[in-house]
């Protein structure tokens, strides 16, 4: 029984989904996030629904409001194991 490998549970998350998940974890509405960032609420909605790309400048502004690193938003599927593989 010691020769088995534990299964990894993974979920693929888009950039927009990561913004939405982190926003909801912060208990912020899109309107509240819009007020904090200066990014219009329709733009936040479009980002969360992957209709427009986030861009690095928006990522920085959103990350500051959401209290996370911009890379968390821009690279949601990236794992620490990717560092050791290089």
């Amino acid at each position: 029984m010691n020769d088995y490998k534990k299964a990894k549970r993974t979920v693929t998350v888009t950039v927009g989904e990561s913004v939405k998940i982190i926003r909801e974890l912060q208990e912020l509405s899109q309107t509240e996030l819009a007020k904090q960032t200066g990014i219009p609420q329709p733009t936040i909605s479009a980002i969360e629904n992957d209709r427009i790309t986030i861009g690095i400048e928006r990522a920085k502004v959103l990350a500051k409001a959401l209290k996370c690193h911009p890379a968390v938003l821009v690279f949601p599927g990236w794992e620490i194991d990717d560092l050791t593989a290089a």
Side-chain angles (χ1 to χ4, degrees):
M1 295 237 38
N2 290 335
D3 57 345
Y4 68 92
K5 199 174 191 179
K6 285 188 176 182
K8 278 180 144 180
R9 187 176 294 183
T10 59
V11 176
T12 303
V13 178
T14 67
V15 171
E17 289 170 331
S18 72
V19 172
K20 182 176 182 175
I21 289 165
I22 295 170
R23 175 183 60 78
E24 289 177 343
L25 286 171
Q26 300 280 334
E27 297 183 351
L28 293 171
S29 67
Q30 287 182 351
T31 303
E32 291 167 328
L33 184 57
K35 287 178 187 172
Q36 288 185 19
T37 61
I39 298 171
Q41 181 276 326
T43 303
I44 291 173
S45 176
I47 290 168
E48 289 184 358
N49 289 290
D50 296 305
R51 291 192 307 267
I52 61 172
T53 57
I54 192 170
I56 196 68
E57 292 307 314
R58 278 195 198 123
K60 290 177 186 177
V61 172
L62 286 166
K64 186 174 181 180
L66 295 172
K67 302 174 181 94
C68 68
H69 193 280
V72 172
L73 302 176
V74 178
F75 306 110
W78 191 64
E79 293 183 18
I80 195 71
D81 292 344
D82 295 341
L83 279 178
T84 57

